[in-house]
Amino acid sequence: MSQTLTPAPLPVFKEKDCDLSIIRGRRVAVIGYGSQGRTHALNLRDSGVTDIVVGLKPGSPTRAKAQADGFVALTAGEATAQADVVAVMVSDEAHRDLWTREIEPKIRPGAALIFAHGLSVRFGLVQPRPDLDVILASPKGIGPRIRDLYEAGEGVFCLFGVHQDATGAAHALGLSYAAALGCGRKGILETTFAAECESDLFGEQVVLCGGVAELIDAAFMKLVEAGYPPEVAWFECFYEVKLVTDLMFERGVAGAFAKISNTAEYGAYLTGPRVIGEASRDAMDDVLGEVRDGSFVRRLMADYDVGSPELLARRRLLGDRLIEQVGARLGRIAAEH
Ligand SMILES: NC(=O)c1ccc[n+]([C@@H]2O[C@H](COP(=O)([O-])OP(=O)(O)OC[C@H]3O[C@@H](n4cnc5c(N)ncnc54)[C@H](OP(=O)(O)O)[C@@H]3O)[C@@H](O)[C@H]2O)c1
């Protein structure tokens, strides 16, 4: 990509641009009470939304948690049937079946659907009726962290978008919902379901999860195979990632480089582009293609439909890696008195 591109900035909304009274006047069903669902329900309530029900599977292990937090827990269908706003806070692979079995048959005409990730709408796993408002409110953070920041009077950025505005009120309602999560304290950026979803899948595969994990492991194993002590390799290739990425997060990459040694900085300029060379950029093109043409989501759903054997097998292999054993051993040593 040309570094001279100057794309137009996204519209940004702050708390003052959002009318909290809109969401306060609605009955909200939060379906799912995991990482996002619990945070959405608690933040909405603390922002003055008084009419909230939680929808869960019968016998769900999280039902007790929702009840302990003071919410009425119903089935997803029952909660949906009573609600003006249905927040779908269930893992993405489960949206299709949840939609066809429980939400679509029960959702009221003119109600609003809120998603925290655009995947199921972007790839047609959920195809909402034309009378429904369909809104994205995707806070940029892990659920419990969003909650902690909210309680501290802070917030996280939110990607927001309207896929379908059946009532003419979807935009204002979505902003009101995002502000009730606390995101107006930081910034609510308006985008589309497709941009959020495609860039999210690409980013987590290429950088955040797939890329970072493989880069760390490949470099760690290279040092170990060359005869260096695994503990030393662990510090250099894993432990210090947090130190440097924290600096990058606080100051940007250039600001972080101003704080590291000249040796580290000079080496970075020489070596970074060799490790992330043409082959890596070609792989990124392939990944983006598979995200956009839906083949990644088709593969995800095909695995899910037969009980996720590929996901589970790969998860087991990851746990067996040497780097995990070295990290666990150092963790035990650190915990000793
Ligand atoms: N994790 C994050 O911080 C994060 C960040 C941004 C966006 N998101 C998005 O937020 C959404 C929710 O993800 P999450 O990570 O919060 O999920 P999660 O932690 O895995 O929680 C899922 C919740 O949904 C419930 N559930 C699963 N299937 C259900 C069904 N058929 N009917 C009713 N409830 C059901 C689960 O209950 P059981 O315990 O009974 O299975 C659990 O309470 C996803 O769209 C995700 O992409 C997540």
Side-chain angles (χ1 to χ4, degrees):
M1 178 184 130
S2 163
Q3 298 276 316
T4 56
L5 283 179
T6 51
L10 290 179
V12 182
F13 302 91
K14 301 284 285 190
E15 211 159 43
K16 65 178 169 45
D17 306 310
C18 308
D19 179 357
L20 272 174
S21 73
I22 300 172
I23 193 68
R24 284 179 181 148
R26 306 288 171 98
R27 167 166 275 215
V28 180
V30 177
I31 313 298
Y33 204 70
S35 179
Q36 288 291 314
R38 179 167 190 264
T39 290
H40 285 226
L42 293 172
N43 288 12
L44 288 171
R45 184 169 68 187
D46 290 349
S47 293
V49 182
T50 53
D51 204 357
I52 302 171
V53 286
V54 170
L56 284 167
K57 287 179 279 190
S60 163
T62 39
R63 179 169 294 261
K65 198 170 191 182
Q67 287 168 337
D69 287 336
F71 294 108
V72 173
L74 307 171
T75 67
E78 288 164 351
T80 297
Q82 300 180 7
D84 308 308
V85 174
V86 179
V88 183
M89 298 299 138
V90 166
S91 52
D92 300 292
E93 319 88 88
H95 285 198
R96 180 196 57 197
D97 296 344
L98 175 73
W99 171 252
T100 50
R101 289 178 193 158
E102 303 223 45
I103 300 181
E104 190 176 29
K106 295 283 173 56
I107 191 163
R108 290 176 176 174
L113 278 166
I114 307 249
F115 293 89
H117 182 32
L119 187 147
S120 51
V121 171
R122 160 66 181 85
F123 291 104
L125 304 176
V126 169
Q127 296 181 16
R129 291 191 319 248
D131 63 284
L132 303 171
D133 287 346
V134 184
I135 296 162
L136 175 74
S138 180
K140 292 285 99 186
I142 305 294
R145 176 78 182 141
I146 300 167
R147 177 64 187 158
D148 289 347
L149 286 171
Y150 180 93
E151 288 186 296
E154 297 170 40
V156 299
F157 284 112
C158 181
L159 294 182
F160 156 74
V162 174
H163 171 74
Q164 202 165 277
D165 185 5
T167 65
H171 197 268
L173 171 63
L175 285 180
S176 182
Y177 184 97
L181 297 180
C183 300
R185 299 167 180 172
K186 193 88 168 187
I188 302 165
L189 284 78
E190 185 166 3
T191 182
T192 63
F193 274 63
E196 182 276 335
C197 168
E198 292 166 21
S199 56
D200 184 82
L201 293 174
F202 178 84
E204 66 198 11
Q205 291 177 29
V206 168
V207 185
L208 309 176
C209 307
V212 167
E214 284 309 304
L215 180 64
I216 289 171
D217 193 61
F220 167 83
M221 288 306 297
K222 190 59 74 181
L223 286 179
V224 173
E225 282 159 11
Y228 295 93
E231 293 85 349
V232 175
W234 185 85
F235 281 113
E236 299 307 336
C237 299
F238 175 72
Y239 183 79
E240 293 192 18
V241 170
K242 173 153 171 54
L243 310 183
V244 174
T245 51
D246 279 352
L247 259 187
M248 290 179 176
F249 190 80
E250 285 161 20
R251 298 164 179 269
V253 176
F257 276 23
K259 286 280 162 193
I260 62 179
S261 69
N262 286 349
T263 314
E265 185 186 1
Y266 184 68
Y269 296 140
L270 295 192
T271 299
R274 291 168 66 197
V275 175
I276 307 298
E278 274 311 302
S280 295
R281 289 174 199 278
D282 289 348
M284 289 182 199
D285 285 337
D286 292 346
V287 171
L288 189 56
E290 289 157 17
V291 164
R292 282 176 159 165
D293 71 12
S295 46
F296 168 72
V297 170
R298 280 194 295 281
R299 183 166 171 175
L300 172 80
M301 292 305 295
D303 192 50
Y304 173 76
D305 282 341
V306 290
S308 305
E310 185 177 12
L311 176 71
L312 298 175
R314 287 178 183 254
R315 190 179 288 166
R316 274 193 298 277
L317 286 175
L318 185 68
D320 289 343
R321 282 181 170 182
L322 180 62
I323 195 168
E324 297 296 315
Q325 295 160 29
V326 173
R329 181 168 166 263
L330 288 169
R332 282 193 301 275
I333 291 169
E336 282 169 8
H337 293 290

